[in-house]
Amino acid sequence: MAFTPSSLLLHQPFKTIYILAALLYNLFLLPLCLLFYLSPTLRQHPSYTYRQAHMVRLLKTYIYHISRIRSHPAWTLAPGSEGQRFTPIPPSDKPIYRGELDDPEIKPARIGGTWYPTVYDPSSPEEKGKKPSTVILHIHFGAFVIGEGRSKDLGYGAHLLTSHTRRSNARVFAVQYRLSSHGARCRFPAPLQDVVTAYAHLLDLGIPATSIVVSGDSAGGNLVIAFLRYISAQQHPAGVSLLPAPAAALLWGPWTNPGAAMRPRRSRTGDQSYYATDFLDDALLEWGVRAYAPPRSGVDPDGAWVSPRDHPFACAGVPLWVQFGSLEVMGGDVVRFAEGMRGVKGNEVELVEVEGAPHDIFLVGRLLGFGDVAEGMAERMGAWLRGKGL
């Protein structure tokens, strides 16, 4: 039976009671796990270190419980600890929200974004007279329901991106898009509208599209794919588009088949044996897709805009760098998506498998004990970007 949390857990005092019970239960299990994982043969995978085995389990447990109580960050456009690095962005006044983005209920809204490591200012003395910086527009993880793209979430990932590009003045701009956990008005296409808003903002700053790389991890990778599909779909026969195509796209463990999360795991395609070696939990994935493409909303969870795995398209000449971990539950879907995209004339797809890694080490590599693996992966990404002159 598909996962459906009790509605009682969404309200007090039941939410607090559940949290306390979960804490006590896991504190009881902790010493048992400390002993259990001493043997490599008893870990999720024999290649996992003692630390990796524990951290993967702890993160999976955390994700399960926050999904049960639907815990998500409050929406705010206050600068917070990011200070001047955080930039509020109004919707564009240009006619760039068409087709799938022109929804009678969901309208473009004011959003925000965080610059890494510093704010990009084309008029500053540091930028004047230089070749335009490589700016990486990053779309964060979170099954469309958690995450913010701020420093506490993306600090490590932003470091990986900026430290391995050719240009020393490279920047990352991480979008704080509307989370679908905030209500029906934030379902699809709201997050995709926000990606378009952020991209248009960079163009308005005078950053040429040839210097912009779009990047996304997990659900963020799904949004990058939808963004490229949107650019391609809006392209006129003469090759003119509402928005110019970016220079390249980076997909870190992209979630390419969300619709499958609405079905029991045993009925899904792909190798589900990696569920044990990964930290992703069904509770988060089902919560995410049901919020992003709610039943009776008219949004097809298995359609091309939500689940692109089996819906390849010509991606407007944008080269794709697609990464996945060999031990992640979504790996088979990522490979199937990449192979489908390769089959479309004119597409360039670089598929990178990271041996012995779970999902999204771009985000949690250092936390889980895969820091060296994540750095090596980022070096490969940097070499690929340098080959594109970025």
Side-chain angles (χ1 to χ4, degrees):
M1 183 176 179
F3 173 85
T4 304
S6 168
S7 60
L8 290 177
L9 298 183
L10 308 183
H11 305 283
Q12 297 293 359
F14 303 102
K15 181 181 288 190
T16 298
I17 293 171
Y18 177 85
I19 292 172
L20 292 173
L23 284 171
L24 290 173
Y25 177 71
N26 282 282
L27 284 173
F28 170 76
L29 285 183
L30 183 59
L32 300 178
C33 292
L34 290 173
L35 292 173
F36 187 79
Y37 287 141
L38 285 173
S39 171
T41 60
L42 297 178
R43 297 169 193 166
Q44 300 94 324
H45 194 269
S47 67
Y48 281 2
T49 66
Y50 187 67
R51 176 190 172 187
Q52 289 168 347
H54 279 292
M55 293 308 297
V56 167
R57 176 194 166 272
L58 287 173
L59 183 56
K60 191 183 191 98
T61 301
Y62 172 76
I63 288 173
Y64 170 77
H65 289 303
I66 66 167
S67 302
R68 290 274 294 179
I69 61 175
R70 298 296 196 255
S71 177
H72 56 80
W75 177 262
T76 177
L77 294 181
S81 61
E82 286 72 28
Q84 293 184 346
R85 292 192 298 114
F86 184 82
T87 303
I89 312 168
S92 176
D93 57 3
K94 299 172 183 175
I96 58 174
Y97 308 100
R98 297 183 180 178
E100 291 295 318
L101 300 194
D102 187 13
D103 188 283
E105 298 177 356
I106 313 299
K107 302 301 179 183
R110 188 176 179 84
I111 59 167
T114 303
W115 286 101
Y116 299 88
T118 57
V119 176
Y120 175 77
D121 181 2
S123 65
S124 68
E126 292 80 11
E127 299 293 342
K128 277 186 176 180
K130 290 185 178 180
K131 189 175 182 180
S133 295
T134 296
V135 175
I136 300 174
L137 176 63
H138 187 77
I139 321 301
H140 68 75
F141 74 104
F144 312 113
V145 290
I146 59 175
E148 294 178 290
R150 300 211 185 200
S151 299
K152 62 182 175 60
D153 291 336
L154 197 64
Y156 177 65
H159 155 75
L160 292 178
L161 290 171
T162 57
S163 61
H164 294 285
T165 55
R166 180 174 64 88
R167 299 175 188 170
S168 59
N169 58 347
R171 302 288 200 286
V172 171
F173 187 66
V175 185
Q176 182 177 312
Y177 58 85
R178 285 170 287 175
L179 297 175
S180 297
S181 50
H182 290 153
R185 296 284 180 179
C186 296
R187 63 162 173 82
F188 178 89
L192 182 54
Q193 290 174 344
D194 297 345
V195 174
V196 170
T197 295
Y199 188 71
H201 172 69
L202 297 183
L203 296 174
D204 289 343
L205 288 177
I207 303 168
T210 52
S211 292
I212 299 175
V213 175
V214 289
S215 169
D217 61 307
S218 197
N222 178 292
L223 287 170
V224 169
I225 296 167
F227 172 70
L228 296 177
R229 185 184 297 275
Y230 178 70
I231 289 179
S232 178
Q234 295 301 314
Q235 197 169 55
H236 299 299
V240 180
S241 179
L242 289 173
L243 293 166
L250 306 172
L251 306 177
W252 311 87
W255 191 13
T256 63
N257 195 25
M262 300 182 80
R263 298 183 287 276
R265 183 161 19 107
R266 64 179 176 274
S267 69
R268 300 175 197 168
T269 58
D271 188 351
Q272 294 301 311
S273 64
Y274 291 123
Y275 181 80
T277 60
D278 208 346
F279 60 81
L280 284 176
D281 189 87
D282 287 347
L284 175 64
L285 301 181
E286 185 175 350
W287 172 25
V289 71
R290 287 187 178 276
Y292 188 56
R296 297 179 296 279
S297 67
V299 181
D300 183 3
D302 293 307
W305 291 95
V306 177
S307 295
R309 186 193 66 180
D310 297 325
H311 303 278
F313 62 99
C315 54
V318 180
L320 303 180
W321 193 85
V322 185
Q323 176 271 331
F324 72 101
S326 68
L327 299 180
E328 71 166 286
V329 71
M330 295 179 181
D333 288 335
V334 175
V335 172
R336 189 159 152 179
F337 163 76
E339 289 177 345
M341 292 296 285
R342 278 175 171 168
V344 177
K345 185 178 180 181
N347 284 354
E348 178 187 344
V349 181
E350 180 79 8
L351 182 61
V352 177
E353 179 179 8
V354 180
E355 189 65 34
H359 179 64
D360 205 356
I361 59 170
F362 166 84
L363 174 73
V364 293
R366 184 165 59 186
L367 173 67
L368 299 185
F370 292 89
D372 291 343
V373 179
E375 289 286 347
M377 173 190 69
E379 287 179 6
R380 294 170 69 179
M381 175 274 298
W384 184 79
L385 284 180
R386 287 191 292 274
K388 308 297 177 189
L390 296 163

